[in-house]
Amino acid sequence: MSKPHTSPGLWALAWRRLRGDKIAMVSLAVVGAFFLLVLASASGLVASNWEDEVAVSYAPPTFVGADKDVTADGAMPVTDERSAPTPVNVLDPLADDIAELRAQMGSNPSAGVEMYGVTDPLADDLTALRAGMGKAKKLVTHKAATLPFGADKWGHDILQKTVKGGETSIVVGLVAALLAVVLGTIFGAVSGYFGGIVDDFFNWFYSIFTSIPSILMILTVAAVLQQKGVLTIVLILGLTGWTGPYRLIRAEYIKHKAREYVMAADAIGASHWRKMFSHIFPNVSHVALVQMSILVVGFIKAEVILSFLGFGVPVGTVSWGSMLNEAQNELILGKWWQLTAAATAMAVLVTAFSLFTDALRDALDPKVK
């Protein structure tokens, strides 16, 4: 006896549609690669030493070539002022005496002690300082003249800095989008399911947030908090970005609360909480998922804007926004590689995520055959 045929569910049909869309699968692969890079960066497998000064200041990319004023071993030419000849000053009455004393002392500064019985109280300190300067010169010679994608002002590798900055920007986008969708889903479910005074209250609250331009609302909350940090950015974006998911989830709950399966759940004595989140929410979860994917893209761009304006990550934390903030001063000097690296990484991720979001929205739409 053959097994009864079962119809595929919503997610099975959505995955079948996604697999048939080549652009969606390529976009998913690009987004997945970025997320794997974020995990590797967070675990310390890559970009763990992005703060090391591995190159000279503003080292250009390898395909551009080293600057002419950089030596073959990758170090800036260092001159020893003590070994440089002393310019002749015709007005110096002691020039001849100083020259004679230096000739008598030769290369041994302690000879003056033997000849004149004078003890230099700073001799030991100067010797230690000179030894330290010698070691520092040796360290300088190991700095690279070029890097694959260049270096910034402090000699940090731009490639590693871009990977580490992507970790901050992507984490901010994901966590802030999750917070916004959770708030929007809860508010929309309560408002759409109960209606009446509860619905009027949430609509009034929604109208306050939407009556102010989003960028002004974000900057207002940032100015009130007056504290930089990843957590602050997440709170700013999450607490101001819930309005979009709220509007759509509320409409879905108004439509679904009158369906037969909800009435059947009410007949068997299911509680309001169970009907809202065990019966209705699985049927509208695709809306929340699509909204989250859309908000991730928007919040990544918002983090870049906040960091560019000085409301973003603190000093010592790198993100794509802070890299673009540094790059605006470097462009005056003709150093374009940090701007190119950060902007290219952000453009690739945002484009891939946007294409995948559009394909996911079409795949989860039951009306699309």
Side-chain angles (χ1 to χ4, degrees):
M1 185 176 180
S2 60
K3 295 182 179 179
H5 177 72
T6 57
S7 300
L10 174 65
W11 297 104
L13 289 173
W15 176 242
R16 186 181 302 174
R17 295 191 185 105
L18 277 178
R19 284 188 301 175
D21 191 341
K22 294 182 179 180
I23 297 179
M25 297 309 294
V26 172
S27 301
L28 179 60
V30 173
V31 173
F34 270 93
F35 282 117
L36 289 177
L37 203 60
V38 168
L39 293 176
S41 176
S43 60
L45 296 178
V46 296
S48 58
N49 57 343
W50 70 272
E51 291 184 289
D52 293 348
E53 298 179 7
V54 296
V56 297
S57 180
Y58 296 128
T62 302
F63 56 85
V64 174
D67 293 334
K68 295 181 180 180
D69 56 347
V70 179
T71 59
D73 57 0
M76 298 297 291
V78 180
T79 57
D80 191 351
E81 297 179 355
R82 292 172 296 150
S83 61
T86 304
V88 179
N89 187 355
V90 295
L91 300 179
D92 187 1
L94 300 178
D96 297 335
D97 298 332
I98 293 177
E100 182 179 355
L101 288 174
R102 286 179 176 171
Q104 294 176 0
M105 293 171 60
S107 59
N108 183 15
S110 61
V113 178
E114 299 176 358
M115 294 174 59
Y116 303 102
V118 179
T119 302
D120 186 0
L122 301 177
D124 296 337
D125 298 333
L126 290 175
T127 302
L129 287 174
R130 286 168 181 166
M133 291 173 63
K135 294 180 180 179
K137 288 180 183 178
K138 292 180 181 179
L139 292 176
V140 170
T141 58
H142 290 83
K143 291 186 177 181
T146 62
L147 289 174
F149 286 88
D152 61 6
K153 177 181 179 181
W154 297 275
H156 301 155
D157 189 351
I158 292 296
L159 180 59
Q160 296 191 36
K161 194 174 180 180
T162 304
V163 173
K164 196 66 178 178
E167 175 192 339
T168 303
S169 298
I170 294 174
V171 168
V172 166
L174 280 176
V175 179
L178 179 62
L179 176 61
V181 170
V182 169
L183 290 177
T185 299
I186 294 175
F187 294 165
V190 173
S191 176
Y193 180 82
F194 289 104
I197 299 178
V198 176
D199 188 30
D200 293 339
F201 170 77
F202 279 106
N203 283 333
W204 169 77
F205 197 48
Y206 166 82
S207 300
I208 292 177
F209 273 79
T210 54
S211 62
I212 303 174
S214 58
I215 188 62
L216 293 181
M217 177 65 73
I218 290 173
L219 294 178
T220 301
V221 177
V224 170
L225 294 178
Q226 293 185 349
Q227 185 177 1
K228 292 184 178 181
V230 174
L231 179 60
T232 302
I233 301 177
V234 168
L235 291 176
I236 292 172
L237 298 177
L239 295 177
T240 58
W242 59 269
T243 53
Y246 163 81
R247 179 173 53 86
L248 296 176
I249 294 295
R250 172 182 173 271
E252 291 293 324
Y253 267 78
I254 292 175
K255 180 176 64 176
H256 279 265
K257 72 178 182 179
R259 295 282 176 88
E260 289 80 1
Y261 71 92
V262 180
M263 295 181 180
D266 185 54
I268 63 176
S271 63
H272 294 303
W273 182 267
R274 185 173 181 82
K275 285 185 289 185
M276 289 168 57
F277 295 102
S278 295
H279 294 83
I280 299 179
F281 180 73
N283 293 283
V284 302
S285 58
H286 62 282
V287 177
L289 181 62
V290 171
Q291 282 296 301
M292 181 174 177
S293 60
I294 294 174
L295 288 177
V296 168
V297 176
F299 286 166
I300 288 176
K301 294 187 289 186
E303 183 277 326
V304 171
I305 296 174
L306 282 174
S307 297
F308 183 79
L309 295 176
F311 292 100
V313 295
V315 177
T317 304
V318 64
S319 70
W320 288 339
S322 64
M323 291 178 65
L324 294 177
N325 193 12
E326 294 177 11
Q328 63 176 337
N329 297 324
E330 297 176 356
L331 282 178
I332 301 176
L333 304 176
K335 316 300 182 182
W336 47 265
W337 35 91
Q338 181 164 206
L339 172 65
T340 302
T344 301
M346 185 182 69
V348 170
L349 176 62
V350 169
T351 302
F353 221 123
S354 298
L355 293 175
F356 174 71
T357 297
D358 292 338
L360 182 63
R361 185 192 298 113
D362 294 339
L364 289 174
D365 190 353
K367 298 178 182 179
V368 178
K369 299 295 183 182

